[in-house]
Amino acid sequence: KQWYQRRVPITAGGCIVDGPDPKTLQQHAWNLVPHLVTLLKNDPSVPVRDTCAWTIGRICERLPQTVILHPDCMELVQALLISLNTDPRVATNACWAFSSLAESAYEEAEKQHNENEDEPQTYILSPIYQHIITQLLATADRSDANQNNLRSAAYEAIMELLKSSPRDCYAVVQTTTVMIIERLQQLLLHRQNANDKSSSQFNDLQSLLCATLQAVLRRMQPGDALQISDTVMSAFLMMMSANNQSSAVQEDALMAITTLLEITGCHFAKYMDSFWPYLLASLQNHAEYSVCGAAVGVVGDMCRAFGNEIGSFTDKLMELLVAALSNANLHQSIKPSILSTFGDIAMAIGPAFVKYLPVVVHILQQASSANVDKNDYEMWDYFNELREGIIEAYCGIVQGLKHDDPAQNQLEALRPHLQIIVQLLMGVSEDKDKTESLTTAACGLLGDIVSTYGSSVKHLVQFDGISNLLAQGRRSRSVKTKHTATWASKEMKKINAL
C-alpha cells in the first residue's frame, strides 16, 4: 500500500473529531485508539506517523476521557515517548499530544479528588511523570530541534505538564526548576560568543527557558521558591544586561520577574538595588512599547507586594509614568495600564498619594474627554480599555485616600472632582457597546464612592443613568458583575434611607 492511502483516513479521523457532538464520537474514537498506537509505533512512513501523533493530540484535546480511561492509555504514552526520538515532524506532534494529554489528565483528576484538597493528590501520568519530563528536556536539546518548531513544542509540553501536575509530582517540579535554571545560566554564559546568525536562536531559547521557569515557579511552594530566588533573580538580571538590544528577551525577563515578585512578595525588596536601574530603563523605553508595558506591570505587582514600603520609590515611578503618558510616540495600548497603575500606587501608599492627586486627576479628566469613532472597532476597543483604566485608577485613589484615623484621611481632596467622576459613570451607563469588565469596574467605583462618602454624595448619584448602570450590572450573566452591582445597589439604598 502507498503511504498516502494509510494517511488519508487518519487525517479524516482527526478532522472529524472537531465536528459532531463528542458523545456521538466517543465510541468511534475509543475503537480508533489501538489502531493509532500501532501505526505510530510501527508504520515505516514519517507522514503516517506524523498524522497519527496529530490525531492522538486532537482526541486528547476534544475527547479526553477516550484516552484517559482507555485500557491502552499507557501503551499510547509509551508510543508518544518513542516518537520523541524520531523525525522532527513526528516528534513535534508528539509534544503537542503530551500537552493535550497532561491537561486532560489533570482535569479528570480534579473531578475525582477530595473537595477539601486544593489540588489532586495524583493522576494517571504520575508513575511516568518524571520520565516524560526527562524525555521532553532531551527532545528540546536535540541538534535538529530548530526544525518544525520542535524545541518550542517540547518546552510548551513541559510547561503544560508543570502547570497540570498533582501533588505527588512535586519533587519532580523541584528538580525541574533546578535544571531549567542551570540551562538558562549556561546559555547566558555562552551568549557572549554568539555570532549574528545564532543570536536569534539564543534569544528564542532564552524566551522559552524564561516561560518554562515561570511555569515551574508558579507550582512551587513559597518557602521552596525563596530558597532558590537569589539564583533565579541573578539569571534574570543577566538576561536583561546581556540583551539590551533584544526587546523580546527583555520583555520575557520582566514577565518572569513579575512571577518571582508574586511568589516572594515583600522578600523581593532585597533585589531592588540591583533591579531598579533596569526597571527605570524599561519604563523609559517608549520605542519598544512591549518592554515598557511589561515594566508597568511590574510596578503594579510591586505595589501589591510591598504595600506602604514602596513609598520610597514612588516619586521616580510617578515621574516616569506621567512622562510615558505625555509621550505621543508611546503605543496607545500601554496607556490604560499606566492609568490603572496610578490606582495601584494610591492603594499601596494610602493618604500619602494626595501629593500626586492634582496631576493624576488632571490626566484622568483629559483621558475621560477622549472621543472616538464607533465605526473604528479597533479604536472603540481601545476606548473601552482606556475608560476601564481610568475607573480602576479612581477606585484605587478612593480606597487609598481613606484612613481610619481622621487626621490622616485625605478624602476631602478628591471631593471637588466627584461630580466629574459620576458623569464618567453615567457616560458608561448610556453606552450600549461597553464591555462586561467596564460595567463591573463602573459599578465597583460607584459602590466605593457611595460607601466611602455616605449621604453627602446623595445629590450626585440620584440620577436615572446611575440607576440604569446598577440595573444593567444586576442583569448581567457574569457572576462578578452581578455581585458587584448588587453590592453597590445595597450601598445606594443605605444612603437613600438617610
Side-chain angles (χ1 to χ4, degrees):
K1 295 181 179 179
Q2 298 294 324
W3 63 265
Y4 59 85
Q5 291 178 318
R6 301 192 300 280
R7 187 189 188 195
V8 168
I10 302 169
T11 304
C15 293
I16 290 171
V17 164
D18 204 27
D21 188 315
K23 293 181 180 178
T24 305
L25 292 172
Q26 198 82 36
Q27 188 59 50
H28 299 290
W30 183 280
N31 296 333
L32 183 61
V33 167
H35 299 290
L36 291 174
V37 172
T38 300
L39 288 170
L40 183 61
K41 291 170 63 177
N42 302 320
D43 198 282
S45 167
V46 169
V48 171
R49 286 184 279 117
D50 173 33
T51 307
C52 281
W54 173 77
T55 302
I56 289 171
R58 299 276 288 176
I59 294 174
C60 290
E61 184 179 44
R62 290 281 295 156
L63 305 167
Q65 289 189 331
T66 301
V67 176
I68 302 302
L69 304 178
H70 202 286
D72 292 337
C73 180
M74 283 299 101
E75 189 174 347
L76 181 148
V77 171
Q78 293 298 334
L80 290 174
L81 286 169
I82 293 170
S83 298
L84 293 177
N85 298 313
T86 59
D87 186 273
R89 288 171 55 185
V90 181
T92 297
N93 273 316
C95 290
W96 177 62
F98 271 123
S99 296
S100 301
L101 184 61
E103 183 179 6
S104 301
Y106 190 80
E107 289 176 356
E108 185 64 26
E110 281 188 311
K111 295 177 185 177
Q112 308 297 330
H113 88 288
N114 191 325
E115 293 183 358
N116 296 324
E117 298 177 344
D118 294 334
E119 59 186 357
Q121 181 64 35
T122 187
Y123 71 164
I124 192 170
L125 298 178
S126 291
I128 54 171
Y129 183 86
Q130 182 167 5
H131 184 53
I132 296 173
I133 292 285
T134 301
Q135 291 302 307
L136 286 168
L137 286 168
T139 300
D141 280 343
R142 283 176 47 164
S143 59
D144 57 355
N146 59 323
Q147 298 180 30
N148 297 95
N149 293 318
L150 177 55
R151 182 174 288 112
S152 177
Y155 277 115
E156 285 173 6
I158 292 169
M159 283 186 271
E160 189 58 53
L161 279 156
L162 293 170
K163 185 174 73 173
S164 306
S165 59
R167 193 169 300 171
D168 64 350
C169 295
Y170 183 67
V172 182
V173 171
Q174 289 178 295
T175 56
T176 305
T177 306
V178 176
M179 294 174 68
I180 296 298
I181 293 172
E182 289 175 350
R183 287 184 176 214
L184 185 55
Q185 289 175 324
Q186 291 172 4
L187 186 70
L188 291 169
L189 289 173
H190 290 91
R191 176 70 173 83
Q192 57 188 0
N193 298 321
N195 54 37
D196 293 338
K197 184 177 180 180
S198 60
S199 180
S200 176
Q201 294 181 16
F202 270 107
N203 288 340
D204 291 344
L205 184 51
Q206 283 178 94
S207 295
L208 286 169
L209 288 169
C210 243
T212 308
L213 194 50
Q214 279 182 269
V216 76
L217 284 171
R218 291 188 186 280
R219 296 301 296 171
M220 293 194 74
Q221 297 173 7
D224 294 331
L226 284 172
Q227 292 180 14
I228 62 168
S229 61
D230 289 355
T231 306
V232 172
M233 190 62 187
S234 176
F236 291 156
L237 292 175
M238 284 180 66
M239 285 183 65
M240 297 198 72
S241 64
N243 292 279
N244 55 0
Q245 298 303 320
S246 172
S247 60
V249 173
Q250 286 187 57
E251 180 186 2
D252 290 330
L254 286 167
M255 292 176 67
I257 287 171
T258 296
T259 301
L260 186 64
L261 178 55
E262 291 173 1
I263 295 168
T264 57
C266 61
H267 297 285
F268 188 88
K270 64 180 179 178
Y271 306 123
M272 285 306 298
D273 286 344
S274 301
F275 177 52
W276 184 242
Y278 297 109
L279 178 60
L280 297 185
S282 298
L283 287 171
Q284 295 175 84
N285 191 351
H286 303 156
E288 295 171 318
Y289 67 90
S290 61
V291 175
C292 182
V296 172
V298 171
V299 173
D301 286 317
M302 284 170 55
C303 292
R304 288 180 280 277
F306 295 171
N308 194 50
E309 297 299 316
I310 200 175
S312 58
F313 301 102
T314 52
D315 283 350
K316 189 63 179 179
L317 291 174
M318 287 296 298
E319 176 191 332
L320 295 183
L321 291 173
V322 170
L325 287 171
S326 303
N327 190 321
N329 295 321
L330 179 68
H331 197 278
Q332 65 183 26
S333 63
I334 308 301
K335 295 184 178 181
S337 59
I338 293 178
L339 299 179
S340 179
T341 303
F342 289 151
D344 294 329
I345 293 174
M347 289 187 67
I349 65 175
F353 188 81
V354 72
K355 65 179 178 179
Y356 307 123
L357 191 62
V359 172
V360 171
V361 167
H362 177 69
I363 290 172
L364 295 176
Q365 290 179 0
Q366 276 192 321
S368 301
S369 64
N371 290 309
V372 298
D373 181 2
K374 279 196 172 186
N375 295 319
D376 187 337
Y377 297 116
E378 185 175 338
M379 281 302 298
W380 189 253
D381 286 343
Y382 165 69
F383 185 53
N384 277 324
E385 292 173 5
L386 186 68
R387 289 186 293 176
E388 191 171 337
I390 295 167
I391 289 173
E392 288 174 351
Y394 279 131
C395 282
I397 292 170
V398 171
Q399 295 177 41
L401 295 180
K402 181 170 55 179
H403 198 280
D404 294 336
D405 182 355
Q408 298 186 51
N409 196 311
Q410 296 290 342
L411 285 169
E412 288 304 308
L414 186 64
R415 187 181 290 276
H417 310 289
L418 291 179
Q419 186 172 358
I420 294 176
I421 296 173
V422 172
Q423 288 174 356
L424 169 65
L425 296 180
M426 291 179 65
V428 172
S429 173
E430 295 167 3
D431 179 11
K432 296 180 180 180
D433 298 314
K434 58 181 171 292
T435 59
E436 191 72 53
S437 57
L438 181 57
T439 302
T440 307
C443 290
L445 176 56
L446 178 61
D448 284 338
I449 291 173
V450 172
S451 64
T452 300
Y453 287 92
S455 60
S456 67
V457 295
K458 185 190 296 187
H459 66 289
L460 294 177
V461 296
Q462 288 183 328
F463 294 97
D464 290 342
I466 296 299
S467 300
N468 292 338
L469 174 65
L470 294 174
Q472 293 162 14
R474 291 193 302 271
R475 291 195 301 267
S476 172
R477 294 182 180 180
S478 164
V479 175
K480 183 178 179 181
T481 305
K482 185 177 294 186
H483 175 79
T484 305
T486 301
W487 166 74
S489 298
K490 290 179 180 178
E491 295 300 320
M492 285 282 289
K493 287 180 180 178
K494 289 179 185 178
I495 66 167
N496 289 333
L498 297 175

